[in-house]
Amino acid sequence: MFETVLIANRGAIACRIIRTLKLLGIKSVAVYSEADRHSLHVRQADHAVCIGPAPAAQSYLDQQKILDAARTSGAQAIHPGYGFLSENAAFAEACERARVAFIGPTPQQMRDFGLKHTARELAQHNNVPLLPGSGLLDDLVQAHNEVLRIGFPVMLKSTAGGGGIGMQLCWDAQQLDAAYHSVERLARSSFGQGGIFLEKYVQRARHIEVQIFGDGAGNVVALGERDCSVQRRNQKVIEETPAPNLPDDTRAALAEAAVRLGRAVSYRSAGTVEFVVDADTDRFYFLEVNTRLQVEHGVTEQVTGVDLVEWMVRTAANEPPALAGFAAAPRGHSIQVRLYAEDPNKHFQPSSGLLTEIDFPDTLRVDTWVETGLEVPPNYDPMLAKLISYGTNRDAALSALQTALATTRVHGIETNLDYLRQVLADDVFQQGRQYTRHLDSFAYKPATVDVLQPGTQSTLQDWPGRVGYWDIGVPPSGPMDHLAFRLANRIVGNAEGVTALELTLNGPTLRFNSDTIIALTGAHMRAELDGEPVAYWQATTVRAGQTLKLRTVNGAGMRSYVAVRGGFDAPDYMGSSATFTLGQFGGHGGRTLRTGDVLHLGSDSGSATTAQTPASALPAESIPEYSVHWDIGVLYGPHGAPDFFTDSDIATFFATDW
């Protein structure tokens, strides 16, 4: 067995591999870019080596830097994880030349299956069912000739790569014309290989894959199948095993076909054979082979009890598991969701920045690389974590996952957490009837507010705020005009201290993405909802899509307040959600609002009709009166030193009508 293994990857998979290596008593070496210096995998490894700046081409894709790190750290093997160099045959050969074991398939097996068109040829030779398709296309004229034989709709695909990159659905000749050169360019720029081909498109397709493992000596076994049909733009979002509503004979035939294909090349290590299953007929067709560990391998481990990373390490060390006569015995059901740093309400725009809170329940298996206080860089795949549930059956696994997601907390940047909650609750997924295009018509309903313009100094506050920490240098935080703040909450039916917005002098422009009830109080700013005036000191119903614009203070006072039914959802820090800008904590990111921020509404704020009846308006005698003249108490404090202020200065200060 190896003494030291280097992980040539980052993120959740690096942490996952380190966990298994620790169980095996093997020392781990993490490599990291400058952007990942605070990642969990760097701290968890026995040794860590910085291999360059943030761009992947200068760090995680730089083969020589990784090999140098293996040499200087004394690692005898390299685990490539998934993505980056995991399916790079040239890198596997470079490892062999450097006398470092590559934990994965052989370079030739990577080449056999690495290009989709050659993998199709192998499948055909081994009687694995194939969709009608073409070989590599020479030009657009040939593409049109081939589609006459295949028939629309077709999928135009890059022969290299994966993850849904380099694929485009074409329903007619016009779309084929538009897609051909763009797919070819994308394939060449992403994978260095411009080859593309056509494949018949199944309109109600399920994406079912079979996990295989081989010892390199001809023994190949199947470890069950996974349903990966919940996809967005050909990128998987939710995976589960066993596949729901799949006939037993289809399930058995899928496993047999995958094993037959693996045995044809004496496959070594972990691999995945992917199939398209027609949801209407249950007929299946070969799609591709991934010659690496999959992102969704965890659900297979949950139901089989097999640690795939351990099997991979042992096989690379010439101590493979005894596969002859082995038959997997899956038990129970497992479902995985991928938590991404992206905004589902902005076409899944990637998100980066400071995680002010991230809290996962301990009832799930969570593969992650992040924690509270970590800065998520914009340079890599946006996946933050994989949350994996297990139950004795699908209903139990689904219930456990939904319960856990309901208590999962993520703040500071945008994620797809609420999107995942809604997909799991959707009838199609509840019934296990998902197919690959289902999310195209899924209607996401965000309970959020977009900050279009932030205003001068807009912050989230609560009441009584953060108090009792003067002794450690933290002054009281909370609303300046706590009476107006509390009244705003009272008007919309909240408890007085619920988190609301405090505005200073000049207000923000906010777009509401769900129905709610709001109240404006404090110093009067001219306020408009879709151009119509909004009154202060009374409840106002806001509908999804409406925009609230607040302008400068008109009259006395400086602070104005916006409360929403249910409050704004913000993390608790030192007993309060109030923003303390000097300390850079509390509120939204520990700072004033910025253009592009997204504020989340409290759980019961989404419907104005179901909210507890708010006060329609405050009685006139309850509304504070704001004047241009205030009598306030002033104490001569410890910073009034004579080197700053003379006695005459102080006398003038107290005598002046400000």
Side-chain angles (χ1 to χ4, degrees):
M1 181 58 72
F2 306 118
E3 293 182 1
T4 306
V5 169
L6 181 140
I7 302 104
N9 217 296
R10 64 175 297 277
I13 185 57
C15 294
R16 163 72 185 88
I17 295 168
I18 289 169
R19 184 177 66 206
T20 291
L21 294 178
K22 286 184 184 297
L23 292 174
L24 293 173
I26 299 172
K27 290 184 178 180
S28 56
V29 178
V31 296
Y32 65 96
S33 72
E34 293 168 1
D36 274 339
R37 62 190 180 279
H38 298 305
S39 174
L40 273 178
H41 81 282
V42 176
R43 191 166 70 251
Q44 290 176 348
D46 295 295
H47 183 58
V49 179
C50 182
I51 54 172
Q58 300 174 46
S59 51
Y60 297 108
L61 290 174
D62 191 317
Q63 299 183 25
Q64 192 55 54
K65 286 181 179 178
I66 292 172
L67 290 170
D68 288 345
R71 177 179 52 80
T72 57
S73 64
Q76 293 105 358
I78 292 177
H79 197 305
Y82 43 66
F84 293 133
L85 297 171
S86 61
E87 294 180 283
N88 189 305
F91 178 60
E93 289 172 338
C95 289
E96 291 179 357
R97 289 193 299 271
R99 298 187 178 181
V100 177
F102 180 84
I103 301 176
T106 68
Q108 186 57 48
Q109 289 165 354
M110 289 184 183
R111 290 194 172 95
D112 289 340
F113 291 127
L115 297 178
K116 296 182 182 71
H117 75 283
T118 58
R120 280 176 58 90
E121 292 170 3
L122 270 170
Q124 187 173 24
H125 292 156
N126 288 277
N127 299 316
V128 176
L130 286 171
L131 284 167
S134 72
L136 289 184
L137 300 169
D138 294 328
D139 51 35
L140 185 56
V141 173
Q142 186 186 7
H144 279 287
N145 290 334
E146 289 289 338
V147 87
L148 291 175
R149 176 178 57 83
I150 300 168
F152 285 110
V154 294
M155 189 70 82
L156 187 61
K157 291 185 172 184
S158 163
T159 186
I165 301 172
M167 296 171 58
Q168 194 154 329
L169 175 60
C170 303
W171 290 92
D172 53 37
Q174 186 176 0
Q175 289 187 347
L176 180 59
D177 288 343
Y180 187 89
H181 293 296
S182 65
V183 171
E184 186 177 45
R185 283 194 302 270
L186 180 62
R188 197 175 300 280
S189 63
S190 298
F191 313 119
Q193 163 65 258
I196 56 177
F197 67 100
L198 290 170
E199 193 171 70
K200 180 68 177 178
Y201 175 69
V202 178
Q203 297 191 43
R204 278 182 39 84
R206 299 179 66 181
H207 186 123
I208 307 293
E209 60 187 31
V210 177
Q211 177 70 61
I212 63 171
F213 198 95
D215 60 9
N219 296 304
V220 178
V221 298
L223 296 168
E225 83 291 338
R226 298 183 288 253
D227 187 315
C228 307
S229 302
V230 182
Q231 300 180 8
R232 185 188 62 78
R233 299 175 189 163
N234 302 310
Q235 176 66 55
K236 300 166 187 174
V237 178
I238 303 175
E239 302 96 353
E240 63 180 303
T241 187
N245 300 309
L246 189 69
D248 288 342
D249 57 346
T250 304
R251 195 185 312 275
L254 283 164
E256 194 276 331
V259 169
R260 187 165 67 247
L261 195 56
R263 285 176 179 163
V265 296
S266 293
Y267 192 79
R268 183 187 78 183
S269 198
T272 302
V273 185
E274 301 193 355
F275 297 92
V276 168
V277 177
D278 190 322
D280 295 323
T281 65
D282 290 322
R283 295 183 63 183
F284 66 87
Y285 308 93
F286 173 77
L287 188 60
E288 63 181 333
V289 176
N290 284 297
T291 55
R292 54 172 167 82
L293 199 64
Q294 291 280 89
V295 176
E296 57 272 19
H297 74 277
V299 294
T300 297
E301 293 182 331
Q302 293 295 97
V303 301
T304 62
V306 170
D307 186 327
L308 285 166
V309 174
E310 178 182 349
W311 276 23
M312 292 178 75
V313 172
R314 291 191 180 279
T315 300
N318 295 318
E319 300 175 11
L323 299 184
F326 175 89
R331 298 179 62 183
H333 201 100
S334 184
I335 307 174
Q336 169 182 290
V337 296
R338 303 187 186 194
L339 181 68
Y340 286 120
E342 60 187 15
D343 187 347
N345 197 45
K346 293 188 177 72
H347 306 290
F348 298 89
Q349 170 184 297
S351 176
S352 60
L354 181 68
L355 282 168
T356 55
E357 180 186 42
I358 188 158
D359 184 29
F360 299 116
D362 56 11
T363 55
L364 295 181
R365 167 177 164 177
V366 180
D367 290 359
T368 186
W369 61 280
V370 296
E371 59 185 339
T372 298
L374 187 138
E375 189 91 18
V376 177
N379 311 89
Y380 311 112
D381 181 276
M383 190 171 70
L384 300 177
K386 302 180 297 178
L387 289 81
I388 308 168
S389 71
Y390 175 81
T392 54
N393 53 46
R394 188 175 191 267
D395 288 343
L398 180 53
S399 176
L401 186 55
Q402 288 182 289
T403 300
L405 287 184
T407 59
T408 296
R409 302 272 295 169
V410 184
H411 284 98
I413 64 175
E414 277 308 285
T415 72
N416 66 335
L417 176 59
D418 200 47
Y419 180 81
L420 292 171
R421 292 168 177 158
Q422 293 183 34
V423 173
L424 291 179
D426 183 65
D427 285 344
V428 171
F429 189 82
Q430 289 278 320
Q431 297 166 13
R433 300 291 180 185
Q434 60 266 29
Y435 57 99
T436 56
R437 306 294 287 192
H438 165 58
L439 292 184
D440 291 355
S441 58
F442 177 75
Y444 172 57
K445 298 177 180 178
T448 59
V449 177
D450 290 324
V451 179
L452 305 183
Q453 293 290 337
T456 301
Q457 189 171 6
S458 305
T459 59
L460 291 175
Q461 302 291 342
D462 65 359
W463 179 82
R466 188 176 298 102
V467 294
Y469 295 101
W470 260 125
D471 56 334
I472 59 171
V474 179
S477 305
M480 295 288 286
D481 180 356
H482 65 82
L483 177 58
F485 180 95
R486 290 153 53 205
L487 289 174
N489 271 321
R490 189 185 302 174
I491 291 169
V492 297
N494 294 338
E496 288 186 323
V498 168
T499 305
L501 273 171
E502 179 177 77
L503 319 176
T504 305
L505 288 177
N506 185 44
T509 300
L510 308 171
R511 182 174 58 228
F512 287 77
N513 298 315
S514 67
D515 297 350
T516 190
I517 297 172
I518 67 169
L520 308 181
T521 63
H524 190 274
M525 295 178 176
R526 194 177 79 185
E528 296 176 347
L529 186 64
D530 282 356
E532 295 296 321
V534 180
Y536 268 58
W537 308 102
Q538 69 180 44
T540 300
T541 297
V542 178
R543 299 299 180 190
Q546 289 193 294
T547 298
L548 175 68
K549 181 177 291 188
L550 293 115
R551 307 193 186 261
T552 56
V553 169
N554 180 21
M558 291 177 60
R559 300 305 198 289
S560 191
Y561 297 90
V562 180
V564 298
R565 172 67 177 146
F568 291 98
D569 188 14
D572 184 272
Y573 192 89
M574 297 174 70
S576 170
S577 65
T579 306
F580 177 36
T581 54
L582 284 177
Q584 298 182 15
F585 54 74
H588 184 79
R591 55 173 172 76
T592 58
L593 298 187
R594 298 173 184 165
T595 298
D597 282 345
V598 180
L599 304 178
H600 287 251
L601 303 181
S603 58
D604 61 347
S605 62
S607 172
T609 57
T610 59
Q612 184 178 337
T613 304
S616 58
L618 284 183
E621 61 271 18
S622 298
I623 299 175
E625 187 174 327
Y626 293 91
S627 167
V628 295
H629 188 280
W630 297 73
D631 291 329
I632 62 172
V634 179
L635 296 177
Y636 189 82
H639 296 292
D643 50 339
F644 292 106
F645 301 107
T646 65
D647 290 341
S648 176
D649 292 331
I650 296 301
T652 300
F653 179 84
F654 282 112
T656 300
D657 185 356
W658 295 98

